[in-house]
Amino acid sequence: MEEKKFFEQKRGIICTGAFVGLLAVVLMQAGNPANMGMCVACFIRDIAGALGLHQAAAVQYLRPEIIGIVLGAALMALAGKEFSAKGGSSPLTRFVLGFFVMVGALMFLGCPLRMVLRLGGGDLNALVGLAGFVVGIVIGLYFLKRGFTLNRNYSLPKIEGAFFPLIITGLLVFLLTAPAFIHFSTQGPGSLHAVVWLSLPAGLLVGALAQKSRLCMAGGIRNWLLFKDTYLLSGFLTILIVVIAGNLFFGTFNLGFQNQPIAHNDGLWNFLGMTLVGWGSILLGGCPLRQLIMAGEGNTDAAIATLGMLVGAAFAHNFGLAASAAGPAANGKTAVIIGLAVAFLIAYFNSEDLKVQTKGEMKVDAN
Amino acid sequence: MQIDARGLSCPQPVINTQKALKENPDGVQVLVDDVTARTNIERFARLNGYQVESQAENDNFLVKIWR
């Protein structure tokens, strides 16, 4: 057998997980919110606020980590000759899925990555979220095994794939020049952040490593359930171990359900929020972090899903859907239920075997 | 037998390979167009006791799986 490349071996993904965990701990110490060294959902929500798409004054900041992750992935993909402009695989469906993944994440208060960081900080509400996340993945797999597909993507002109990284570069310019029309929180989680010269390189490093190793929180559990592959899962577990160690080291490990930072302890809605995130992520082919990475690689379907998350975050704050430390919002509960119903409709109507059954036709399985 | 898994989101290339191997337990060939799908299929094949070899074909990879 030919010698396998570093990033196709477990050492590569474990190395990536260790860096992500370490950088998350460092960023928390350097000023990012507690248990939020890095959170794709929360940080996209902050970017939506910074752009004035919502007016929640406490959560507005052009998070350099997100900018870094996308650009790091783009640069690494270019260097490795893996940058490839592709798209056209049910874009509007992906936008809607991205939207509701954000609604679910803002019910739980975190993307799957922050779920691991919260768990690493001793927040047991994240364990309830993890249970919901796994259930969402299992439901998604049920449909995948019945032929769920959003159809193929196709090659596109290079400039189409370059647009998303270019838009993100525009955000970087706004971050560095801070024009008056960009909102920066002066209090609340949005005001808590590490300095740019630390958070931007951290994001770049995470983006580059995650591009190489394919790190994905949803994919880890999915591939393990699907074919007993522990490659991606070992990245997930490494982050957890490193973050637990980091929190113990800095004395920020606080085991329990109560008084956890930027979290609520309504078990049912933590569970259902993450069920929606898990299910949506499986239908999209990756967790929110992975969507950012693929968008950086030139995949415009992932870029559309990311824009869905951005708009979802704006709606979540404009319509009072987002939960807070006080607990879930009434509108948010309705939105999560609607999200689960939409996920079901998308999953059902795109699953070839189920469609065939409803038509009562015989299908000869030809590939 | 050869299946075309180009342009499909993960893990559909693996699921399609799994289904194809159920019908052709001796081996199949899978055409994919990205490295993630290729490495996922390779891992899946090895974990299930198959031999596997991939070759680049223009912008695609042909993953050959056999016992």
Side-chain angles (χ1 to χ4, degrees):
Chain A
M1 195 185 348
E2 63 181 296
E3 197 191 335
K4 285 200 282 181
K5 290 180 188 154
F6 180 74
F7 279 104
E8 290 178 22
Q9 295 174 311
K10 266 208 185 133
R11 282 187 295 170
I13 188 92
I14 286 173
C15 187
T16 302
F19 268 106
V20 172
L22 199 64
L23 289 170
V25 171
V26 168
L27 287 168
M28 271 188 279
Q29 289 301 317
N32 277 12
N35 288 351
M36 205 192 278
M38 243 178 239
C39 170
V40 175
C42 318
F43 287 3
I44 288 178
R45 182 265 322 269
D46 291 351
I47 290 176
L51 297 174
L53 299 176
H54 69 67
Q55 303 300 328
V59 284
Q60 298 175 326
Y61 182 49
L62 280 179
R63 291 279 178 188
E65 292 86 348
I66 299 291
I67 295 170
I69 289 171
V70 174
L71 297 183
L75 292 172
M76 186 55 104
L78 282 171
K81 299 205 180 344
E82 289 189 64
F83 187 90
S84 165
K86 283 177 186 163
S89 159
S90 310
L92 192 54
T93 302
R94 289 179 188 271
F95 182 92
V96 171
L97 284 170
F99 182 102
F100 282 110
V101 162
M102 182 57 83
V103 167
L106 293 180
M107 170 57 80
F108 167 72
L109 293 174
C111 71
L113 177 57
R114 184 173 187 238
M115 176 183 76
V116 179
L117 302 185
R118 282 174 59 176
L119 211 50
D123 179 352
L124 293 177
N125 298 301
L127 208 54
V128 180
L130 176 61
F133 188 57
V134 173
V135 166
I137 290 171
V138 169
I139 297 171
L141 273 175
Y142 170 87
F143 288 99
L144 272 170
K145 287 183 180 168
R146 277 152 193 80
F148 172 81
T149 179
L150 293 178
N151 292 315
R152 293 176 202 274
N153 63 32
Y154 296 93
S155 286
L156 296 167
K158 271 231 154 58
I159 182 68
E160 168 80 2
F163 255 123
F164 191 75
L166 287 174
I167 292 169
I168 294 291
T169 307
L171 293 187
L172 178 60
V173 173
F174 287 157
L175 172 71
L176 298 176
T177 57
F181 53 80
I182 299 290
H183 305 260
F184 292 100
S185 295
T186 51
Q187 54 169 359
S191 69
L192 300 172
H193 53 81
V195 288
V196 176
W197 63 260
L198 181 63
S199 49
L200 184 64
L204 285 165
L205 189 58
V206 168
L209 290 172
Q211 194 280 324
K212 271 290 167 204
S213 64
R214 273 76 188 169
L215 179 71
C216 175
M217 303 292 118
I221 295 168
R222 177 197 71 199
N223 288 0
W224 177 60
L225 291 173
L226 184 64
F227 61 105
K228 302 282 170 280
D229 177 24
T230 54
Y231 172 81
L232 288 176
L233 189 65
S234 46
F236 184 106
L237 293 174
T238 307
I239 298 175
L240 180 61
I241 292 165
V242 170
V243 172
I244 289 175
N247 279 304
L248 287 171
F249 179 80
F250 285 109
T252 45
F253 187 82
N254 170 28
L255 193 68
F257 286 95
Q258 306 294 331
N259 301 321
Q260 294 293 345
I262 318 176
H264 62 76
N265 56 13
D266 188 321
L268 175 66
W269 292 98
N270 278 330
F271 182 93
L272 289 176
M274 284 314 278
T275 301
L276 181 52
V277 173
W279 192 355
S281 295
I282 292 300
L283 300 183
L284 282 171
C287 71
L289 172 68
R290 183 82 189 128
Q291 298 302 317
L292 287 182
I293 300 296
M294 293 194 296
E297 291 172 339
N299 184 320
T300 57
D301 292 324
I304 294 286
T306 304
L307 293 177
M309 289 194 275
L310 182 78
V311 173
F315 272 63
H317 284 278
N318 288 338
F319 291 6
L321 314 180
S324 67
N331 289 355
K333 295 178 182 177
T334 311
V336 167
I337 297 296
I338 292 173
L340 289 168
V342 169
F344 175 78
L345 291 176
I346 290 173
Y348 184 83
F349 284 105
N350 289 294
S351 295
E352 282 160 4
D353 301 357
L354 297 174
K355 272 193 292 192
V356 169
Q357 277 178 19
T358 53
K359 286 181 198 159
E361 288 168 7
M362 282 288 286
K363 185 189 172 198
V364 181
D365 200 8
N367 274 297
Chain B
M1 182 169 106
Q2 183 172 324
I3 60 170
D4 182 0
R6 286 176 298 171
L8 295 175
S9 297
C10 277
Q12 289 160 45
V14 172
I15 290 178
N16 292 358
T17 305
Q18 207 170 18
K19 284 180 180 167
L21 280 172
K22 226 169 237 173
E23 289 169 34
N24 302 276
D26 290 335
V28 293
Q29 300 188 350
V30 191
L31 192 63
V32 295
D33 63 353
D34 76 35
V35 181
T36 312
R38 192 200 80 200
T39 51
N40 271 339
I41 293 170
E42 287 173 352
R43 268 200 299 277
F44 164 77
R46 290 201 186 98
L47 284 167
N48 285 278
Y50 282 93
Q51 304 277 324
V52 60
E53 193 181 271
S54 300
Q55 63 193 50
E57 279 189 357
N58 302 322
D59 289 338
N60 304 320
F61 300 98
L62 187 64
V63 187
K64 296 176 178 173
I65 302 167
W66 73 96
R67 282 236 187 253

